[in-house]
Amino acid sequence: MQPPRIKVAVAGAAGKMGLEVIRTVALQTDMDLVGAVDPNREGEDIGFVVSGAPLHVTCVPRVQDLTDDMRPDVLVDFTTPSVVKANAVAALEMGIRPVVGTTGMTTNDLQELDDLARAKGLGMLVAPNFAIGAILLMKFAQQASRYFANAEIIELHHNQKADAPSGTAIKTAELMLKERDRFGLGNAPETEKLEGARGADLEGIRIHSVRLPGLVAHQEVLF
């Protein structure tokens, strides 16, 4: 007996990552695209945005506008920090499992969503980065933190990225701080001649965000 096909809706459907998700879902033999959320393309068939051919999935402006006949099992969110939490809350309230790739939520936001998902008995995934290399980098940086007391993070992105530091950089630092309460305790007192010259400070881990046209996502952790 074949398992039921997974019904997927995408928030931020007309964005760069949203379109990639839609293309990927369309290639799967165990998934169906049933919903698309993007206020900039309201009323349009998302297929015309992806490839010029219809997919018979009409864009709606809000997660709450996903109708009962769509009945998505999963909402994949690649939107913006300003709406991602509200989208996840709406999905959980509707019985939809969120898979969130959007960054910018606070620790309190994540805890609230965790509590709501548990209360609803629904699974939820929040991942600041889906790349295997980035996940390995975070894991290895966490392990190295047991042995090195000084560390800084440099992350580079294109100049259209909305948040700084990146969610990947913040998550990396948070994992490192699970191994060591604070970094840089032996540093000499500093005076910044220009504010921000030393980057953001997360419990002694300095995070430097570079934003320039044409850059592809890149991160280094220096010990």
Side-chain angles (χ1 to χ4, degrees):
M1 182 177 176
Q2 289 277 347
R5 295 168 69 88
I6 302 169
K7 296 180 179 180
V8 180
V10 180
K16 181 179 179 182
M17 288 302 301
L19 292 176
E20 287 300 324
V21 172
I22 289 170
R23 293 187 186 103
T24 301
V25 170
L27 294 173
Q28 307 311 305
T29 58
D30 59 347
M31 297 182 187
D32 291 316
L33 180 72
V34 299
V37 181
D38 199 304
N40 297 319
R41 296 285 184 166
E42 181 180 357
E44 296 184 44
D45 187 315
I46 192 61
F48 289 117
V49 182
V50 175
S51 64
L55 287 173
H56 307 294
V57 175
T58 302
C59 278
V60 296
R62 305 180 308 153
V63 172
Q64 293 90 330
D65 297 318
L66 294 169
T67 58
D68 290 341
D69 61 325
M70 298 176 187
R71 294 181 182 173
D73 302 303
V74 173
L75 175 74
V76 180
D77 188 294
F78 278 101
T79 55
T80 63
S82 63
V83 298
V84 57
K85 181 185 176 184
N87 285 348
V89 169
L92 290 168
E93 293 288 359
M94 297 167 69
I96 304 169
R97 300 159 184 84
V99 174
V100 180
T102 309
T103 59
M105 284 192 286
T106 66
T107 301
N108 287 339
D109 291 337
L110 294 173
Q111 186 60 59
E112 289 177 23
L113 291 174
D114 183 81
D115 293 342
L116 180 58
R118 292 177 187 276
K120 295 290 184 180
L122 295 170
M124 178 176 178
L125 173 66
V126 179
N129 200 310
F130 288 88
I132 295 298
I135 293 168
L136 290 174
L137 171 64
M138 289 187 276
K139 182 65 174 177
F140 297 154
Q142 182 179 12
Q143 293 174 333
S145 296
R146 302 171 191 171
Y147 309 104
F148 297 97
N150 293 70
E152 305 206 6
I153 297 172
I154 303 172
E155 55 97 358
L156 299 81
H157 283 84
H158 57 82
N159 63 323
Q160 298 302 307
K161 184 169 177 58
D163 57 327
S166 69
T168 301
I170 293 172
K171 184 63 176 179
T172 302
E174 289 174 346
L175 290 171
M176 292 164 64
L177 289 165
K178 288 185 177 181
E179 301 297 332
R180 185 182 296 275
D181 290 339
R182 185 169 179 84
F183 287 74
L185 289 175
N187 290 358
E190 297 176 348
T191 300
E192 286 185 318
K193 294 183 178 180
L194 290 175
E195 185 179 355
R198 291 288 290 120
D201 185 349
L202 185 57
E203 300 299 331
I205 302 174
R206 294 287 184 168
I207 305 177
H208 309 268
S209 297
V210 179
R211 299 288 181 266
L212 288 171
L215 290 183
V216 177
H218 177 88
Q219 179 172 298
E220 299 177 55
V221 182
L222 309 178
F223 290 95

